[in-house]
């Protein structure tokens, strides 16, 4: 079991957002000052080290622990900590990662997308709040809450994914491409990236020879997408997404390197192929309907 004092080893922010009353606002404070507040920022702005699920049920502790203890035939995956509100039983459950996930422009997208999917899987597994942004968590060292500590295990994303797949709550790979505007937590990052990336491939044709104009257009679109969320990402995170997309297309993508002539030819070929596919489908549907009519007449 880990002790409360070891929270500082799991909790990485150096100048976090913190508050005693969320309705009065949250403000950046020194780390020692923040640790005296009831609510604190869960992760540094560039890293995700803690995966937090908000469980708004009076049996939140049971939901967080249910069927996650180690067995002879299966290792466990208990949360590191569960921080309860003693008044209503609602709680935040926290799983700590062995290796933090980077969220800057230098981040690899696959680990970030996997982390977002794992958080969604944990939310589904516990019946957690799908509107929780993951930004602020209950401070387990504060006397307002009942904090319980369950393991000192540090988890890999792959391990948690395996446990969630066995449970049946791990979302499908297509989940990261969702266009739902109620995506929260790390899912916002992935949703914006996937949506903006697809848009940027089409936008290229308006900016050949104008890298600055293309980059500006991508930044604008990313921030417009971000503004649609009830709790948008920080501007710096949105900038990181835009930089990642525009830099890769300009420096790595054949779309940009081959120029407008090849782009238009490729686009026309794709459209023609889609047209043939759609026509073939309509023809098959028409033939099927005709067969049904002939069968009805007989």
């Amino acid at each position: 079991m880990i002790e409360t004092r070891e929270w500082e080893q799991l909790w990485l922010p150096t100048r976090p957002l913190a508050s005693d009353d969320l309705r009065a606002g949250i403000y950046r404070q020194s780390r020692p000052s923040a640790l005296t507040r009831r609510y604190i920022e869960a992760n540094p702005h560039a890293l995700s080290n803690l995966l937090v699920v908000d469980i708004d049920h009076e049996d939140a502790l049971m939901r967080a622990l249910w069927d996650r203890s180690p067995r002879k035939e299966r290792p466990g995956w208990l949360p590191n900590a569960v921080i309860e509100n003693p008044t209503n039983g609602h709680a935040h459950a926290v799983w700590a990662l062995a290796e933090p996930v980077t969220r800057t422009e230098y981040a690899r997208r696959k680990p970030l997308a996997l982390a977002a999917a794992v958080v969604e899987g944990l939310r589904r597994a516990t019946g957690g709040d799908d509107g929780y942004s993951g930004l602020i968590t209950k401070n387990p060292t504060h006397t307002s809450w009942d904090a319980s500590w369950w393991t000192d295990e540090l988890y890999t994303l792959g391990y948690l994914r395996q446990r969630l797949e066995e449970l049946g709550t791990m979302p499908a790979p297509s989940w990261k491409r969702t266009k739902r505007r109620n995506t929260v937590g790390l899912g916002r990052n992935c949703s914006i990236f996937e949506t903006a990336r697809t848009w940027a491939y089409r936008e290229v044709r308006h900016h050949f020879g104008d890298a600055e104009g293309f980059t500006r257009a991508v930044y604008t679109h990313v921030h417009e997408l971000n503004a649609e969320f009830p709790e948008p990402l920080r501007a710096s995170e949105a900038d990181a997404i835009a930089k990642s997309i525009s830099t890769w297309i300009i420096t790595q993508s054949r779309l940009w390197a081959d120029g407008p002539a090849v782009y238009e030819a490729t686009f026309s070929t794709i459209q023609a192929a889609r047209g043939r596919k759609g026509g073939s489908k309509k023809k098959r549907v028409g033939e099927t309907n005709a067969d049904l009519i002939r069968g009805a007449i007989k």
Side-chain angles (χ1 to χ4, degrees):
M1 296 295 178
I2 59 176
E3 301 295 335
T4 303
R5 64 178 179 271
E6 295 188 47
W7 169 252
E8 292 193 44
Q9 297 177 8
L10 297 176
W11 185 64
L12 300 181
T14 56
R15 189 169 175 78
L17 295 166
S19 176
D20 279 326
D21 183 356
L22 296 179
R23 292 169 297 183
I26 53 177
Y27 305 95
R28 293 214 171 273
Q29 303 174 28
S30 67
R31 184 180 173 94
S33 175
L35 282 169
T36 68
R37 306 299 181 185
R38 298 174 70 229
Y39 301 95
I40 52 178
E41 190 171 17
N43 288 293
H45 75 277
L47 296 171
S48 284
N49 180 61
L50 303 178
L51 306 182
V52 185
V53 178
D54 181 24
I55 311 172
D56 286 339
H57 299 278
E58 60 183 14
D59 60 346
L61 179 60
M62 183 184 73
R63 289 169 179 260
L65 303 179
W66 183 256
D67 203 29
R68 308 203 210 301
S69 296
R71 300 177 181 174
K72 184 177 181 180
E73 69 278 8
R74 190 198 68 188
W77 51 297
L78 289 165
N80 295 85
V82 179
I83 310 132
E84 284 184 281
N85 181 334
T87 303
N88 56 22
H90 297 185
H92 285 173
V94 181
W95 282 263
L97 296 179
E99 183 177 347
V101 178
T102 305
R103 303 199 308 270
T104 68
E105 67 269 24
Y106 304 107
R108 293 168 54 222
R109 299 306 308 182
K110 286 186 178 180
L112 188 57
L114 177 57
V118 165
V119 172
E120 173 65 10
L122 291 171
R123 185 196 68 77
R124 295 180 184 183
T126 58
D129 181 7
D130 63 3
Y132 175 59
S133 70
L135 178 64
I136 299 295
T137 187
K138 295 178 174 69
N139 177 5
T141 67
H142 200 279
T143 55
S144 292
W145 317 119
D146 289 338
S148 53
W149 306 87
W150 296 94
T151 180
D152 57 1
E153 187 74 28
L154 298 180
Y155 298 104
T156 66
L157 291 173
Y159 178 83
L160 290 174
R161 174 177 61 185
Q162 184 179 352
R163 300 283 80 80
L164 291 165
E165 286 174 344
E166 292 170 355
L167 189 63
T169 63
M170 186 69 186
S174 59
W175 175 83
K176 68 180 181 180
R177 295 191 292 272
T178 180
K179 294 184 179 180
R180 297 177 303 145
R181 292 275 71 86
N182 63 335
T183 305
V184 296
L186 291 172
R188 293 170 297 176
N189 190 300
C190 296
S191 178
I192 292 173
F193 177 82
E194 294 292 338
T195 304
R197 176 178 63 87
T198 303
W199 173 88
Y201 291 148
R202 299 192 300 271
E203 182 67 13
V204 162
R205 67 183 185 273
H206 301 303
H207 299 278
F208 282 113
D210 182 13
E212 182 178 343
F214 174 67
T215 299
R216 187 164 54 248
V218 173
Y219 271 71
T220 298
H221 187 66
V222 165
H223 281 277
E224 288 173 348
L225 292 173
N226 190 37
E228 294 178 16
F229 287 94
E231 281 197 54
L233 296 174
R234 295 183 181 89
S236 60
E237 287 192 69
D239 285 344
I241 293 171
K243 183 175 182 179
S244 176
I245 293 170
S246 58
T247 300
W248 191 91
I249 289 178
I250 291 171
T251 62
Q252 303 294 327
S253 174
R254 290 293 300 274
L255 285 175
W256 187 269
D258 289 344
V262 174
Y263 181 95
E264 292 301 332
T266 303
F267 181 78
S268 298
T269 300
I270 293 172
Q271 291 298 97
R274 287 175 176 169
R276 288 194 297 272
K277 182 178 180 181
S280 176
K281 183 177 181 180
K282 289 179 181 178
K283 182 179 179 181
R284 290 196 301 272
V285 172
E287 290 172 347
T288 301
N289 289 341
D291 291 340
L292 290 173
I293 293 171
R294 284 195 292 270
I297 293 174
K298 290 180 180 180

